[in-house]
């Protein structure tokens, strides 16, 4: 009796050929295997390095202030001085020490009660992933924190991305905000080719890997050039040496920075439709040579749209002008409070 060939076992015309097994594939492609193992080892090594670097950074820069819990979210804040309340909201990629290192916080605290917050995901504040942290969402959280602290009618000072949160607070929580001081703000949707690559660590799953491996290392390499551009056309201020750069490279903050970057343009577009509704005294400050946010397209345009606002442009200064000229910020706060009192 003749046995019929088994088509399935021999891959005949009537059967299905079996896919090569993983071990066979690896044996047939040793170069690819070596490259994959090398890449995996590199990612693992960088993740271990970044985790250790984050722990060192936190040991060198522990929480500077206190914590308040708002609807399950922990916010870190620093409070100094007495008198009328002034709230400070930092920009993207940094933390509340930006106002401390620049000297702004202490100057304002000489006359007023100053509360500087770490915005969600920055410094030592939480950023639950269950929430999309738009400027309005951040404004809601900080306004609730202020309410728990018994703070009303504050002058809110925002820098860069923080100006969007300050504007959202003034529009959505008018009882919390008596006036605004806006520094180097991005107020209108404009073409920003830098947004897409800088937003990559916010992508789910892929972003987690990037934030724990290559992104902190890339940030450390690009940091000096980015800082120089942020101060240009001025030189990097000597005060900046006191800013804790290392803590901004922790994976958690890398992700928060990327997420805020991704939301910057659509958030500005949405808020800009409401600027004419602002009804509080507002002073807008900007560096004349700002390379990060163009003065003409943003600060001057906002000043023309917000009734009763005042624009102050600082010559030969850039995006981080508050390091070289902290007194201009403190004076603007006093001037806004004077207008609040007279109104």
């Amino acid at each position: 009796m003749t046995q019929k060939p088994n088509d399935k076992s021999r891959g005949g015309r009537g059967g299905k050929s079996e896919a090569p097994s993983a071990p066979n594939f690896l044996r047939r492609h040793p170069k690819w295997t070596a490259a994959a193992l090398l890449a995996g080892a590199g990612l693992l090594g960088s993740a271990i390095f970044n985790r250790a670097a984050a722990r060192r950074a936190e040991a060198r820069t522990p929480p500077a202030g206190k914590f308040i819990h708002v609807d399950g979210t922990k916010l870190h804040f620093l409070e100094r001085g007495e008198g009328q309340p002034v709230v400070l909201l930092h920009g993207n990629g940094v933390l509340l020490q930006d106002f401390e290192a620049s000297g702004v916080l202490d100057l304002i605290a000489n006359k007023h009660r100053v509360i500087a917050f770490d915005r969600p995901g920055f410094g030592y504040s939480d950023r639950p992933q269950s929430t999309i942290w738009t400027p309005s969402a951040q404004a809601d959280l900080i306004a609730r924190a202020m309410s728990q602290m018994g703070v009303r009618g504050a002058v809110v000072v925002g820098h860069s991305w923080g100006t969007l949160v300050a504007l959202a607070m003034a529009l959505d929580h008018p009882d919390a905000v008596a006036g605004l001081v806006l520094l180097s703000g991005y107020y209108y949707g404009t073409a920003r080719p830098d947004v897409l690559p800088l937003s990559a660590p916010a992508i789910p799953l892929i972003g987690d890997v990037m934030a724990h491996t290559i992104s902190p290392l890339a940030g450390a390499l690009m940091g000096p050039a980015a800082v120089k551009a942020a101060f240009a056309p001025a030189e990097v201020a000597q005060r900046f040496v006191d800013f804790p750069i290392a803590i901004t490279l922790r994976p958690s903050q890398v992700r928060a920075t990327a997420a805020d970057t991704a939301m910057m343009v659509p958030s500005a577009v949405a808020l800009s439709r409401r600027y004419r509704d602002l009804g509080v005294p507002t002073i807008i400050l900007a560096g004349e040579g700002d390379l990060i946010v163009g003065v003409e397209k943003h600060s001057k345009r906002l000043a023309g749209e917000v009734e009763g606002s005042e624009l102050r442009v600082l010559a030969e200064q850039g995006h981080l002008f508050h390091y070289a000229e902290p007194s201009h910020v403190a004076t603007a706060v006093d001037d806004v409070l004077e207008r609040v009192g007279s109104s």
Side-chain angles (χ1 to χ4, degrees):
M1 188 178 213
T2 328
Q3 187 175 4
K4 293 183 179 180
N6 189 335
D7 287 342
K8 292 183 179 180
S9 64
R10 300 188 186 182
R13 186 176 297 177
K16 296 181 180 179
S17 59
E18 293 183 1
S21 64
N24 288 337
F25 179 85
L26 297 178
R27 283 196 296 270
R28 292 175 185 174
H29 302 279
K31 292 183 178 180
W32 287 14
T33 302
L37 291 174
L38 187 61
L43 291 175
L44 178 61
S46 61
I48 294 171
F49 174 83
N50 289 328
R51 184 174 182 180
R55 288 178 175 175
R56 289 195 300 270
E58 290 175 348
R60 288 196 298 267
T61 309
K66 303 175 183 178
F67 293 93
I68 186 170
H69 290 79
V70 183
D71 296 337
T73 299
K74 181 177 68 176
L75 275 178
H76 177 235
F77 69 96
L78 180 62
E79 185 174 10
R80 289 184 189 161
E82 298 179 354
Q84 293 168 298
V86 179
V87 171
L88 306 180
L89 302 175
H90 61 79
N92 196 12
V94 293
L95 59 161
L96 64 80
Q97 275 88 345
D98 182 56
F99 290 113
E100 189 174 35
S102 64
V104 168
L105 194 154
D106 285 337
L107 273 179
I108 299 176
N110 286 335
K111 296 182 180 180
H112 312 292
R113 177 189 180 188
V114 182
I115 305 166
F117 284 98
D118 277 336
R119 293 193 295 104
F122 298 91
Y124 286 96
S125 289
D126 290 344
R127 191 181 179 105
Q129 294 188 10
S130 57
T131 300
I132 299 174
W133 291 102
T134 62
S136 294
Q138 296 189 34
D140 290 345
L141 182 70
I142 293 169
R144 291 199 299 273
M146 291 167 59
S147 179
Q148 286 183 209
M149 298 165 67
V151 176
R152 295 183 61 192
V155 172
V156 179
V157 181
H159 176 255
S160 193
W161 212 97
T163 60
L164 294 173
V165 183
L167 286 161
M169 286 181 66
L171 290 164
D172 298 337
H173 303 276
D175 290 343
V177 181
L180 293 172
V181 175
L182 306 175
L183 318 175
S184 304
Y186 178 89
Y187 307 115
Y188 299 92
T190 56
R192 291 296 297 252
D194 58 329
V195 165
L196 187 59
L198 295 177
S199 302
I203 300 172
L205 299 180
I206 296 174
D208 287 324
V209 175
M210 293 181 65
H212 285 85
T213 56
I214 61 174
S215 292
L217 302 177
L221 290 173
M222 296 165 55
V227 169
K228 188 175 181 179
F231 276 99
E235 296 295 323
V236 176
Q238 182 61 39
R239 293 174 182 269
F240 192 74
V241 72
D242 295 327
F243 179 77
I245 293 178
I247 205 163
T248 68
L249 299 175
R250 294 171 303 159
S252 59
Q253 183 145 335
V254 167
R255 286 214 66 186
T257 299
D260 273 12
T261 300
M263 286 187 290
M264 182 176 70
V265 176
S267 295
V269 170
L271 275 175
S272 64
R273 301 188 184 107
R274 305 174 61 197
Y275 291 158
R276 293 187 184 277
D277 297 332
L278 285 169
V280 297
T282 301
I283 294 179
I284 304 159
L285 283 80
E288 184 179 37
D290 192 334
L291 300 179
I292 310 300
V293 180
V295 177
E296 292 285 342
K297 293 181 178 180
H298 295 279
S299 294
K300 288 187 178 181
R301 182 179 172 185
L302 182 67
E305 190 170 350
V306 177
E307 185 178 355
S309 64
E310 179 186 351
L311 173 63
R312 301 177 182 179
V313 179
L314 283 68
E316 300 180 356
Q317 290 296 325
H319 197 66
L320 296 180
F321 70 81
H322 57 293
Y323 278 83
E325 305 287 356
S327 61
H328 282 272
V329 182
T331 298
V333 168
D334 291 339
D335 292 346
V336 165
L337 281 169
E338 184 176 345
R339 295 175 191 183
V340 170
S342 63
S343 63

